[in-house]
């Protein structure tokens, strides 16, 4: 049985071997829909395929960028917490030293 393929089930998936698209018989001439050439369809299929293959790579790159930004923010937050802790410790030591000096001067 030698039947032509349909849109859903083409005879071949190779764009070179597919029949070129032609305007339908019931479409008026000079309509707003332009004729599609096989080379245009070929190029768009190629670009679509390339873009589809690059999507996971782009997603991974964006994911890594987000993780790096989060890690940088986390490091900055930890550094700020450590700096505040050291500042409080230094202030306590300064108060102890002043108190010790005042006690020594009073006696």
């Amino acid at each position: 049985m030698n039947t032509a393929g349909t849109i859903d089930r083409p005879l071949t998936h190779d764009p070179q071997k597919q029949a070129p698209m032609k305007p339908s018989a019931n479409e008026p001439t000079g309509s707003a829909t332009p004729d599609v050439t096989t080379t245009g369809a070929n190029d768009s299929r190629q670009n679509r395929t390339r873009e589809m293959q690059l999507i996971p790579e782009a997603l991974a790159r964006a994911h890594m960028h987000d993780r790096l930004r989060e890690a940088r923010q986390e490091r900055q937050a930890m550094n700020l917490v450590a700096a505040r802790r050291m500042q409080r410790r230094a202030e306590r030591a300064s108060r102890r030293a002043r108190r010790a000096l005042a006690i020594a001067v009073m006696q």
Side-chain angles (χ1 to χ4, degrees):
M1 183 162 121
N2 193 6
T3 59
T6 64
I7 291 176
D8 291 335
R9 298 178 187 274
L11 284 176
T12 177
H13 289 288
D14 184 10
Q16 296 289 344
K17 295 178 182 173
Q18 290 179 1
M21 294 180 70
K22 298 176 186 151
S24 66
N26 58 1
E27 185 178 307
T29 55
S31 68
T33 57
D35 290 343
V36 178
T37 61
T38 51
T39 56
N42 234 359
D43 292 343
S44 69
R45 283 189 188 108
Q46 282 294 321
N47 288 337
R48 197 175 315 126
T49 302
R50 230 174 268 126
E51 287 170 11
M52 293 294 279
Q53 287 173 348
L54 294 178
I55 285 174
E57 187 177 328
L59 284 173
R61 193 177 298 115
H63 187 72
M64 280 292 290
H65 178 72
D66 288 345
R67 297 288 84 79
L68 287 171
R69 184 178 47 78
E70 287 174 7
R72 192 178 311 119
Q73 288 177 344
E74 184 73 21
R75 272 195 305 274
Q76 286 176 344
M78 293 302 288
N79 287 344
L80 182 62
V81 167
R84 285 182 178 161
R85 188 181 308 126
M86 289 175 9
Q87 182 181 7
R88 286 193 301 267
R89 189 178 297 165
E91 287 170 356
R92 276 196 306 267
S94 174
R95 284 195 302 268
R96 271 197 307 268
R98 276 198 198 124
R99 193 177 310 123
L101 183 61
I103 290 172
V105 169
M106 293 288 243
Q107 289 180 355

